[in-house]
């Protein structure tokens, strides 16, 4: 029995998978860089920014301790899966069809898990929007004040410098007053610049959360949804191939995927190469967060899978039961 074309994975679908892997890597790196920028910007005297950072830290720690490691698993699994076509000869592929279909199913499930995890985290980051607005509004008002202060300080700087020059020609006085006034004029000028610069940096840090982080997470989620959909389609095709024993289509599928597998593996390698930088970026997240927050978050946050409502903790235990290292992320001290 021949398989209908509507059930097949096309070359275009495989190319789309490769593109989505590249997009996922790019946006993951952007998200991590945004968090780094948010926490490393030197604007510690801006109290509203300090408060926003404190409120975001717990969410950022979930991202660091759970979301990034699981995203890594997704890519490693896809790379391993693509190597089935790159390494196995046709007769070996034929014998392993059901196992390969099972791998495709697992890849789809893990990609969906990471997608849903990022969706929930994105909601958490967006829940800080009121605080973001407060920061930006405060800084907008501060910006007006800083500008006026800067103008005053710059004016005072010029006055003091002019006085210093004038007193330079007064014998005796010039030895004391001129150096002092010159120094004070420099202090006023530097302060005028520093006030404006710190406010500007605080705005940039806040924008990193409001714009860069949220948008990159949204695009990462979109890419994961596409990746999950691809593996659902692939699993369906593999099961149908195994069921209907269409030798012509089976060989066509194998050769098609074998030809494209190096591109998928290369995209996975590029993704994996960016992970050390992502991990480094997230090292700046303060460790003074609630020590149990990650565990509590995974237990408390629930998502809908089919007709089942399940916590990320329980879902993770079910999904990674055969992967002890990943399973430890969800078992805690059990």
């Amino acid at each position: 029995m021949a398989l209908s074309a509507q059930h097949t994975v096309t070359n275009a679908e495989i190319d789309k998978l490769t593109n989505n892997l590249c997009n996922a890597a790019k946006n993951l790196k952007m998200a991590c860089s945004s968090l780094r920028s948010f926490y490393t910007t030197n604007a510690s005297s801006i109290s509203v920014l300090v408060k926003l950072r404190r409120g975001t830290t717990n969410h950022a720690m979930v991202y660091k301790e759970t979301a990034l490691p699981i995203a890594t698993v997704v890519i490693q699994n896809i790379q391993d899966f693509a190597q089935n076509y790159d390494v196995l000869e046709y007769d070996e592929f034929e014998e392993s069809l059901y196992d390969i279909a099972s791998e495709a199913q697992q890849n789809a499930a893990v990609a969906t898990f990471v997608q849903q995890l990022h969706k929930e985290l994105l909601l958490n980051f967006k829940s800080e929007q009121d605080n973001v607005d407060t920061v930006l509004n405060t800084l907008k008002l501060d910006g007006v004040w800083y500008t006026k202060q800067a103008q005053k300080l710059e004016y005072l700087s010029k006055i003091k410098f002019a006085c210093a020059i004038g007193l330079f020609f007064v014998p005796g006085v010039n030895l004391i007053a001129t150096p002092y006034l010159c120094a004070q004029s420099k202090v006023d000028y530097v302060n005028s610049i520093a006030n404006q610069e710190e406010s500007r940096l605080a705005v940039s840090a806040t924008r990193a959360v409001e714009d860069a982080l949220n948008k990159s997470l949204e695009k990462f989620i979109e890419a994961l949804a596409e990746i999950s959909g691809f593996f659902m389609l692939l699993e369906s095709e593999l099961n149908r191939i195994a069921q209907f024993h269409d030798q012509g289509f089976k060989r066509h599928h194998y050769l098609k995927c074998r030809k494209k597998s190096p591109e998928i593996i290369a995209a996975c390698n590029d993704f994996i190469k960016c992970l050390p930088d992502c991990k480094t970026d997230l090292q700046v997240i303060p460790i003074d967060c609630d020590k149990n927050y990650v565990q509590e978050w995974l237990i408390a946050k629930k998502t809908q899978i089919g007709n089942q409502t399940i916590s990320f903790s329980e879902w993770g235990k079910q999904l990674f039961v055969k992967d002890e290292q990943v399973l430890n992320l969800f078992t805690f001290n059990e």
Side-chain angles (χ1 to χ4, degrees):
M1 178 178 178
L3 293 176
S4 170
Q6 67 180 349
H7 297 291
T8 65
V9 174
T10 64
N11 284 323
E13 291 285 349
I14 300 174
D15 290 339
K16 191 175 180 181
L17 170 67
T18 303
N19 289 334
N20 279 312
L21 288 168
C22 294
N23 289 335
K26 179 179 69 176
N27 285 292
L28 181 67
K29 185 169 176 55
M30 189 178 298
C32 294
S33 296
S34 299
L35 282 170
R36 178 182 177 84
S37 175
F38 180 60
Y39 283 104
T40 56
T41 298
N42 185 17
S44 58
S45 69
I46 309 292
S47 60
V48 286
L49 178 62
V50 172
K51 181 180 178 181
L52 177 60
R53 281 174 171 167
R54 195 175 296 122
T56 306
T57 296
N58 283 337
H59 309 323
M61 191 57 69
V62 174
Y63 195 86
K64 175 186 175 183
E65 298 294 332
T66 305
L68 183 60
I70 302 300
T72 304
V73 170
V74 171
I75 302 307
Q76 290 173 336
N77 286 353
I78 293 173
Q79 185 180 50
D80 292 343
F81 180 86
Q83 286 172 343
N84 286 324
Y85 293 94
D86 195 48
V87 174
L88 297 179
E89 296 300 329
Y90 177 71
D91 56 342
E92 295 173 312
F93 164 78
E94 193 174 22
E95 291 173 3
S96 307
L97 262 175
Y98 284 111
D99 289 337
I100 295 172
S102 179
E103 283 185 50
Q105 181 186 41
Q106 177 72 1
N107 286 342
V110 174
T112 300
F113 179 87
V114 175
Q115 177 204 4
Q116 294 298 323
L117 189 69
H118 278 76
K119 270 188 177 181
E120 191 63 40
L121 278 168
L122 179 59
L123 288 175
N124 286 175
F125 283 123
K126 284 186 173 181
S127 71
E128 297 292 333
Q129 187 60 46
D130 287 344
N131 290 331
V132 168
D133 292 339
T134 298
V135 171
L136 292 175
N137 288 334
T138 300
L139 292 173
K140 183 178 179 180
L141 294 174
D142 285 350
V144 174
W145 184 83
Y146 282 138
T147 299
K148 290 180 179 178
Q149 288 298 106
Q151 290 171 348
K152 289 180 182 179
L153 289 170
E154 190 172 355
Y155 175 74
L156 287 173
S157 172
K158 291 178 180 178
I159 293 296
K160 289 176 181 178
F161 185 74
C163 290
I165 296 300
L167 292 173
F168 177 77
F169 298 100
V170 180
V173 176
N174 61 353
L175 297 177
I176 299 174
T178 297
Y180 174 78
L181 289 171
C182 282
Q184 285 299 304
S185 71
K186 289 181 180 178
V187 169
D188 289 339
Y189 183 70
V190 169
N191 285 340
S192 72
I193 294 174
N195 285 340
Q196 293 181 87
E197 181 64 10
E198 187 169 33
S199 180
R200 185 189 67 78
L201 290 173
V203 170
S204 297
T206 307
R207 291 293 187 195
V209 170
E210 183 184 45
D211 294 331
L213 176 62
N214 289 348
K215 288 178 181 177
S216 57
L217 285 179
E218 286 170 355
K219 291 185 180 298
F220 183 79
I221 289 166
E222 290 173 6
L224 262 292
E226 294 284 350
I227 291 169
S228 177
F230 172 84
F231 279 100
M232 288 178 184
L233 179 62
L234 186 61
E235 179 209 356
S236 175
E237 179 172 314
L238 286 165
N239 281 326
R240 288 175 64 82
I241 288 173
Q243 180 182 356
F244 292 108
H245 307 291
D246 185 329
Q247 291 298 325
F249 188 81
K250 188 186 299 183
R251 184 173 290 276
H252 172 73
H253 168 93
Y254 169 77
L255 293 174
K256 172 182 60 184
C257 293
R258 183 182 178 89
K259 182 179 179 181
K260 292 288 186 180
S261 62
E263 297 173 17
I264 298 172
I265 293 170
C268 290
N269 281 333
D270 288 342
F271 192 114
I272 291 169
K273 286 177 184 176
C274 84
L275 290 174
D277 287 341
C278 291
K279 292 175 182 177
T280 299
D281 285 342
L282 297 185
Q283 291 303 316
V284 303
I285 297 173
I287 59 174
D288 59 344
C289 61
D290 183 345
K291 301 301 181 185
N292 298 318
Y293 184 81
V294 175
Q295 299 176 17
E296 293 169 356
W297 189 94
L298 290 169
I299 293 170
K301 296 298 180 180
K302 293 178 170 56
T303 189
Q304 192 77 22
I305 304 300
N307 296 323
Q308 183 184 16
T309 300
I310 189 171
S311 71
F312 282 103
S313 176
E314 286 303 316
W315 191 10
K317 291 175 189 176
Q318 294 176 16
L319 199 56
F320 301 105
V321 66
K322 295 181 180 179
D323 190 331
E324 184 176 351
Q325 185 175 356
V326 180
L327 186 62
N328 287 336
L329 296 173
F330 304 97
T331 53
F332 315 125
N333 295 320
E334 294 177 7

